[in-house]
Every structure is written in structure tokens, then in C-alpha cells.
Amino acid sequence: MFLGLLQGVTEPIPVSSSGHLVIARELFGIEAKGLSFEIFLNTASLLAILFVYRNDIISIVQNLWRFLFNGARDNEAVTDFKYTICLIIATIPVGVAGLLLKDFIGENITVGFVGVMLLVTGIGLWFIKNKRGNKRDGDLTVKDSIIVGLAQCVALTPGISRSGAAIVGSIAVGLSQKNALRFAFLLYIPISVGTALISVGDIVNDPQMSTLWLAYLLAFIVTVIATYFAVKWLQNIMENGNLIIFVYYCFALGVFSILYQFIWA
């Protein structure tokens, strides 16, 4: 349940959930349950994000359907068609990189390494914390999508926040903080769905699933609830322009992790 709570709280916010899991396992001696367990919890976070953005998703799907099959060419239909193309383009780089590097991601990652990557995340957030873009959904270009997609590739490394990388990339290309957050979370959906589908076999065949199914279920439920409230909290923070709190948090935890690795471990 603790890992479920940790995953749920840290997955949406720009502080790296995978990095937090590495740190928690080291500090509290939690036995690593394998990548399938993390993907299982990641799927729980996906459900919460789908619920939060359900209206946006339904609207995009409806407008996309109207554009493709009903010949609609009004502003909403055209905008959401272009927006969907941008989402697809931004997903491709991290999808390809994830497939190529899946056997190496997370291998032999130390707390100190996570600490350095958290500092990198904090620096990225620092540069865009006060940036106020004015691009809307329909203003995104193919170039913008590629930049955001490449930014997400960096987040395959534990300690680099996926949501943070997507937000930094989105704000850097000119999106407002609100639209950047929306784009980042809508990007999370295909990536998470793809990861879950690829890993269905690993999850089903997880030897611990049959004996720890209740613990897995409770962790899943906790993750869904925690992710929902974390997303709502992040929305409020970005609406008020308070991204700086995550900069300070990443710097503090990053320094602590590095000191722990080289002094206390």
C-alpha cells in the first residue's frame, strides 16, 4: 500500500515516481517486486488520469470522428484533428526509445544517480517556472510535437520526471501552463496504454500475483485515489503559477539522495 500511495502521489507531479520508488526501496529496505508491479501501479494512475480528463478525451474523440467520417470542417473539428496528430507525433519518439531501451531501463540504478537526475529535473523546471506562453491547442506544430516527444525520451531515466519533461517541453514551445499540463497528461495516456499492453504477459505471469493478489489490489486502489488528488493539486498549482515548489523539492531530494549514496549508505 505504501508503494501504491507513493506511486499515486508522485506519478502526476513533476518529481519522478520511478526515482521515488528507487529511493524508497533503498531507505526502507522494501523488496523490489519487479518491473511488472510498477507497470501494474502505472495502469492504476492511468485510470485516474482518464477520469480527470474524461470530458476532454470525449470531446476530442467526437470531433475527430466528425472530421474523419462526417466531413466536418468547423473550427473545433479541425483543431482537434490537428491536436490528435500532434499527440501521435509527440508519442512516437518515446515509444521507439522505450522499445529499444526496455531491457536497460532501470538496470542498476543507484540512489545517487537518481539524485543527480532529480537535480536535472529541478533545473528544467526552474527555466520554465515563470514562462507564460500563449499558444493554444490549435497552434501546435509538428516541430513543437517533436520537441516535446524528444523531451519525454529523457524521462525514460529514473529521476527524470515524465510529466516534468513533457511540461517543460510544452511550455518551452510556447504553450500556456494550463494547456501544457493538459497536453502532458493526454500524452501520458497512449504511452501508458502501450506500456500496459506490452507488459500484460509479465503482469499475468508475475509469480507474486497469486500469493499477493490482495496486496496488489489494495495498492492499485490506493494508487488510483492518490493519483486523482495529485492531478487536481497539480492543476491548482499551475493555475496559480507555483511550479517553484517542485524546483525546491527536486533540489532538496536530489542533494539528499547524493549525500546518502556517498556518505551514509
Side-chain angles (χ1 to χ4, degrees), residues 101-246:
L101 301 175
K102 65 177 182 177
D103 294 330
F104 304 98
I105 297 172
E107 291 294 321
N108 302 315
I109 298 298
T110 65
V111 172
F113 179 82
V114 169
V116 173
M117 294 302 103
L118 282 169
L119 294 181
V120 173
T121 296
I123 291 170
L125 293 172
W126 173 269
F127 280 114
I128 55 89
K129 68 183 187 306
N130 296 321
K131 188 175 175 59
R132 298 289 183 270
N134 53 17
K135 281 188 179 179
R136 294 176 295 181
D137 296 345
D139 299 324
L140 280 169
T141 65
V142 170
K143 179 181 177 181
D144 295 337
S145 303
I146 293 174
I147 291 173
V148 177
L150 292 175
Q152 285 194 118
C153 289
V154 181
L156 291 171
T157 305
I160 300 289
S161 166
R162 191 217 63 84
S163 64
I167 290 170
V168 169
S170 298
I171 292 178
V173 299
L175 280 174
S176 67
Q177 291 202 4
K178 179 180 179 180
N179 288 335
L181 183 62
R182 179 172 177 264
F183 192 60
F185 279 126
L186 290 179
L187 275 176
Y188 174 83
I189 294 170
I191 294 170
S192 185
V193 169
T195 302
L197 290 176
I198 292 173
S199 306
V200 166
D202 293 332
I203 295 173
V204 172
N205 296 320
D206 189 331
Q208 299 188 86
M209 184 67 78
S210 59
T211 56
L212 297 175
W213 67 269
L214 181 58
Y216 274 49
L217 178 60
L218 290 175
F220 189 91
I221 294 172
V222 169
T223 301
V224 171
I225 296 172
T227 299
Y228 173 81
F229 285 106
V231 171
K232 289 294 187 180
W233 180 51
L234 180 57
Q235 288 176 332
N236 180 263
I237 284 175
M238 292 196 68
E239 284 177 5
N240 293 295
N242 292 327
L243 267 176
I244 188 66
I245 67 173
F246 296 120

Side-chain angles (χ1 to χ4, degrees), residues 84-101:
T84 302
I85 296 299
C86 288
L87 285 169
I88 293 172
I89 292 172
T91 301
I92 292 174
V94 71
V96 173
L99 288 173
L100 293 176
L101 301 175

Side-chain angles (χ1 to χ4, degrees), residues 23-34:
I23 294 171
R25 286 169 173 168
E26 175 67 24
L27 292 182
F28 303 110
I30 300 174
E31 181 182 356
K33 294 180 171 61

Side-chain angles (χ1 to χ4, degrees), residues 41-100:
L41 295 185
N42 187 72
T43 305
S45 291
L46 169 64
L47 291 181
I49 290 170
L50 284 171
F51 182 76
V52 173
Y53 285 94
R54 64 192 183 281
N55 292 331
D56 296 274
I57 295 168
I58 291 171
S59 177
I60 290 172
V61 171
Q62 288 176 338
N63 287 326
L64 187 62
W65 180 273
R66 291 195 305 111
F67 182 91
L68 293 175
F69 301 107
N70 296 339
R73 293 298 182 269
D74 56 88
N75 184 60
E76 287 187 357
V78 173
T79 295
D80 280 343
F81 173 73
K82 291 180 178 179
Y83 192 70
T84 302
I85 296 299
C86 288
L87 285 169
I88 293 172
I89 292 172
T91 301
I92 292 174
V94 71
V96 173
L99 288 173
L100 293 176

